[in-house]
Amino acid sequence: MKNKNLPSGTRDEFGSEAEIKETIENKLFKTFRQRGFRKLTTPVLEYSDVFQPLNAENYRSYQLLDDQGESLVLRPDLTLPVARVMSTTGIELPVKWYYGGDVFRVKKQLSGGYNQLTQAGIEIVGYKGIKADWECLEIALTGCQKMAIDDVTIELSHAKFVDTLIDQLALPKPTKDSIKTALFEKNLSKYDQLLRPLEKTAFGHFLSEWPWLFGSFDEVMTALETLPEVEVLQPIINDLQATKQFIKGLFPKENVTLDLSIPSPQTYYTGMAFRGFTEKSAGYLFSGGRYDDLLTNFQNVKTAAVGVAFDVDALVERTPVSPSQPKTLVFFDTDQWDEAEKALKTIPNSTLCLTSSLDAAKKLAAGTNSRLIDLTESR
């Protein structure tokens, strides 16, 4: 029998969606702890200035005022509060944090999105070099595997690639800015018009293909070979190639793609970015990247940092759920408590039935599709 009293959206055949979400969070937290991360908790309410680095279009926040007239928001993101705590508490670096909690974002009407989302993630602060980025990817893909999600596509990108390449072009800055906007918006007619002065240059062939440089990692890398030698781009290309080899070495079944024609997922990213998704999911299962300049928004010291966050709600949608045994309700009289406790230890998936009458216990069992054991029958 289906429980008609459960809220819409719960999986009452196998356990509520809240229970599944809690199970997923616990698995992720266990993984984080096993890899040496410590938990950091941040407040739900933050001063609005904390979130100035966010892309306002994608992270519209719920705002309110405190008793002093200061602007507060319900946190739309968890990375920035971690950075704020780091900068205001004088924590000695390096550190590895993990966190979990809800974020709140105003969604457009009829967008199909939810205003309250659950995230769980890690932040690695104070470690330079690509090993910290790889640790994030290792944890992200291992986390998906533990949820039995084994068809993940990892999309790699780099926050500095577009700006670094455009800086090499012999054009006025306003024109460079317009090219970048047209590239990101895929406004091909304007893009082609702006690049006409460069058609006969060494960059001409690559620039004509640039808007389409996304998808197969190897195909995008092949297209990069048409570029003239740009020394400042080589470290970016090397890191991307090494990261693809790292992923395929540990997770050979996962698909790795590359996109070098999109804006950075966050304006505060400074290096490689990565996102994971499946064909059956509407959004990303996880996303992250390097943000070495973020702490400078709160202090005057540049600090290396990289992180990744899981969308727990997306994991709930994609995690296969096996039918569980029906719950067993143990009904008993108040003087049978010891006997009831013994029953809990011997009967799998059982719980105490705390109703005051047998009739109420039978109704509860019928309404929750549970088995009922009546310890008062032997009296």
Side-chain angles (χ1 to χ4, degrees), residues 48-336:
S48 58
D49 289 347
V50 171
F51 300 100
Q52 283 184 348
L54 284 178
N55 184 334
E57 183 178 344
N58 296 330
Y59 290 81
R60 296 170 57 211
S61 58
Y62 289 93
Q63 303 187 23
L64 58 155
L65 300 176
D66 66 7
D67 56 355
Q68 302 298 318
E70 293 284 345
S71 178
L72 302 174
V73 297
L74 290 173
R75 62 187 183 200
D77 171 82
L78 280 166
T79 294
L80 286 161
V82 170
R84 193 266 309 161
V85 170
M86 290 288 304
S87 64
T88 57
T89 55
I91 296 171
E92 187 176 350
L93 301 179
V95 293
K96 298 196 292 184
W97 298 116
Y98 80 87
Y99 60 81
D102 291 342
V103 296
F104 305 85
R105 300 169 186 169
V106 180
K107 296 294 184 180
K108 296 179 181 179
Q109 287 187 334
L110 305 179
S111 67
Y114 292 101
N115 296 323
Q116 181 175 347
L117 307 169
T118 303
Q119 290 185 344
I122 57 172
E123 308 292 348
I124 303 175
V125 185
Y127 290 93
K128 297 180 180 180
I130 203 169
K131 287 192 289 186
D133 302 61
W134 289 358
E135 171 78 338
C136 288
L137 283 164
E138 162 79 25
I139 290 173
L141 291 169
T142 298
C144 289
Q145 283 189 344
K146 290 187 175 181
M147 309 305 160
I149 303 174
D150 56 4
D151 57 342
V152 178
T153 292
I154 304 96
E155 178 189 85
L156 299 180
S157 60
H158 200 287
K160 289 186 176 180
F161 180 85
V162 171
D163 286 337
T164 301
L165 179 54
I166 287 181
D167 283 346
Q168 311 305 309
L169 305 180
L171 293 171
K173 187 178 185 307
T175 304
K176 292 179 180 179
D177 292 341
S178 297
I179 289 173
K180 184 164 68 171
T181 300
L183 175 70
F184 291 160
E185 295 177 352
K186 296 297 185 281
N187 186 339
L188 299 183
S189 58
K190 184 176 181 179
Y191 178 82
D192 291 340
Q193 181 180 3
L194 291 166
L195 289 176
R196 282 175 186 167
L198 301 176
E199 285 181 352
K200 305 298 184 181
T201 69
F203 290 94
H205 180 77
F206 175 85
L207 293 174
S208 67
E209 301 292 332
W210 199 3
W212 313 108
L213 286 190
F214 57 88
S216 166
F217 187 98
D218 292 338
E219 290 179 6
V220 173
M221 279 294 169
T222 298
L224 288 177
E225 295 174 2
T226 65
L227 271 174
E229 185 173 342
V230 180
E231 185 176 351
V232 289
L233 279 179
Q234 200 56 49
I236 295 175
I237 296 171
N238 291 344
D239 280 353
L240 290 169
Q241 289 176 322
T243 299
K244 191 247 186 172
Q245 293 174 357
F246 168 79
I247 294 171
K248 298 301 287 186
L250 292 179
F251 305 92
K253 294 183 180 180
E254 311 298 12
N255 182 36
V256 182
T257 65
L258 180 61
D259 195 332
L260 295 178
S261 65
I262 57 172
S264 173
Q266 283 296 346
T267 56
Y268 56 76
Y269 278 12
T270 60
M272 189 162 52
F274 34 83
R275 297 186 284 196
F277 60 94
T278 70
E279 292 182 357
K280 297 180 181 178
S281 60
Y284 291 100
L285 301 176
F286 62 80
S287 62
R290 178 162 286 278
Y291 46 91
D292 289 345
D293 293 339
L294 182 58
L295 287 179
T296 59
N297 289 286
F298 305 98
Q299 59 190 30
N300 294 322
V301 179
K302 185 174 180 178
T303 305
V306 61
V308 64
F310 289 92
D311 183 337
V312 177
D313 300 282
L315 291 177
V316 170
E317 293 178 1
R318 286 288 292 111
T319 301
V321 181
S322 301
S324 60
Q325 295 179 352
K327 286 186 178 179
T328 298
L329 302 181
V330 180
F331 178 73
F332 59 102
D333 285 335
T334 53
D335 60 353
Q336 293 180 293

Side-chain angles (χ1 to χ4, degrees), residues 357-369:
S357 69
L358 181 58
D359 285 342
K362 290 178 178 178
K363 290 181 181 178
L364 179 60
T368 57
N369 195 28

Side-chain angles (χ1 to χ4, degrees), residues 12-56:
D12 49 331
E13 295 92 347
F14 310 131
S16 72
E17 190 167 300
E19 291 174 329
I20 298 169
K21 180 181 289 190
E22 183 179 9
T23 299
I24 289 174
E25 287 182 295
N26 288 337
K27 286 184 178 181
L28 292 175
F29 293 162
K30 182 178 180 181
T31 298
F32 301 157
R33 289 191 296 268
Q34 287 174 338
R35 297 188 74 89
F37 288 78
R38 294 182 292 158
K39 188 170 186 179
L40 180 66
T41 302
T42 61
V44 175
L45 278 176
E46 288 274 8
Y47 286 107
S48 58
D49 289 347
V50 171
F51 300 100
Q52 283 184 348
L54 284 178
N55 184 334

